[in-house]
Amino acid sequence: MRLTASSGSTRRLRDVAGPTAPGARRRGDGRLTNDLNPHDLGPQDACGVFGVWAPGEDVAKLSYFGLYALQHRGQESAGIAVSNGRQILVYKDMGLVSQVFDESTLEALKGHLAVGHSRYSTTGGSTWANAQPTFRPTADGSIALAHNGNLTNTLELQQMVKELPHAPGELDFHARNLENNTTNDTSLVTALLAYHPDTSLEARAVEVLPLLRGAFSFVWMDENTLYAARDPQGIRPLVLGRLERGWVVASETAALDIVGASYVREVEPGELVAIDEDGLRTSSFADPAPKGCLFEFVYLARPDTLISGQRIHSVRVEIGRKLARAFPAEADLVIPVPESGTPAAIGYAEASGIPYGTGLVKNSYVGRTFIQPSQTIRQLGIRLKLNPLRDVIEGKRLVVVDDSIVRGNTQRALVRMLREAGAREVHVRISSPPVKWPCFYGIDFATRAELIANGLSPEEICASIGADSLHYISLDDLVEATTVPMDNLCRACFDGTYPVPLPEPEHLGKHLLESFPDLLDVDGLAVSVAGGGASDALERP
Ligand code: SF4
């Protein structure tokens, strides 16, 4: 754990306790979700961001509960930065929001504005240094920034950071690179924004934001002002809410609900918002070209969240109805794969007239244990997460509704488990089209080679997972259920049409900056990782 402090006039960094300080309470390492069963990964979410400007409110606690509502978007690390008008304090660590923060930590974070972040890593490994909010001193204070999304011109940005002139009064390049062992795209943006010796941070943002490519929903702050910005495509969600005595910005409306903020509107694609004692200012840094993530509707966003005016739960129920009409089944019971398959299963049951039931019980907490499972436990595989209700499913012909198939390992194990529990037939229905392409805008699926739909037809996948029948919703039906025009959605993981052009494959990938560390790693702290870049993700068949 670490507290980072900045004072506007004296600019300094103070380590209160390192991440492995002797006697510190042992915390999770942020990696075991994946280690639990590496052959059983679903789509990994991007991140959750939260910002609040509210004098007189306990902004640290509001941020804590906002992040708590966004925990599903990122579970590797969490952090909150708070300003009291004179200095910014950042507290971040590996683990869940509830593991990183306790009452006494939040008590130390006093101020009137804050930004928070829960992370799943997309560029840069899952390390303490890469946890957010990122922090930088500036010529007249400091900034802290939180990012949901993933940039695609990271190497260009790395070069821009290298070429930044020294600010007047700045000691040296090393002093500027206080977070010198970071390997994420976000720290590069923070460095670019932090360089504004002759202009305001707001004016600097209008210069820097148009230079970024890819997906970004940012919230950041200096000592006095809360900022938010969304990429011109609006790929990741970002919403604005109103408190009685302030404003909130968050990844999803569910985070507004939990802190008692009323929903105002989405931050528009290409919009920059600034909030301080003068009120809310808004400007446009780029022409909007909306391409919201279609997968948010299927899986990523919470069912109680609103996107494009649609309640996600209602969209998913409608997807289920459409699935039932397009792909009926002779069956006795419709069951969801909990919990992301639940609304679509409700819709399927409603439209088909087949009774809906609970056939699988999910252990909601097991995916986030910090205890390494023994080999015996690991061999139980899917039972770590799901357990069948034998009494319900024995002798039945089942329709099983799930949100997506990535590698197929989960569904194969699921079908086998249901048959072992006595199911007579298993008909699988999927509420998204086949995932054939990787995502470079903030979701970690798998490489192309690992995506089962990239090499096999639906019939072959059905045989591979051992189901009696398998059907996916069509892209047209899915888009119709969202009520958003097809042209306003990113659907690249389904059809390979990337709305923001991608650079050369070797200039993409999670470990890009570990593979090209020389420009940022002034202390030689970054670790070189073989196989970085996305050539594998894109080019392998
Ligand atoms: S590629 Fe898929 S997951 Fe990624 S932003 Fe586009 S629709 Fe969303």
Side-chain angles (χ1 to χ4, degrees), residues 235-236 293-295 438-439 441 443 445 490-494 498:
I235 292 174
R236 297 276 149 247
C293 170
L294 182 53
F295 213 71
C439 173
Y441 309 133
I443 306 302
F445 285 117
C490 173
R491 47 194 198 271
C493 49
F494 305 121
Y498 290 93

Side-chain angles (χ1 to χ4, degrees), residues 439-461:
C439 173
F440 297 101
Y441 309 133
I443 306 302
D444 198 4
F445 285 117
T447 64
R448 273 205 90 192
E450 291 168 313
L451 294 169
I452 191 169
N454 183 44
L456 300 179
S457 68
E459 295 73 29
E460 290 170 321
I461 297 170

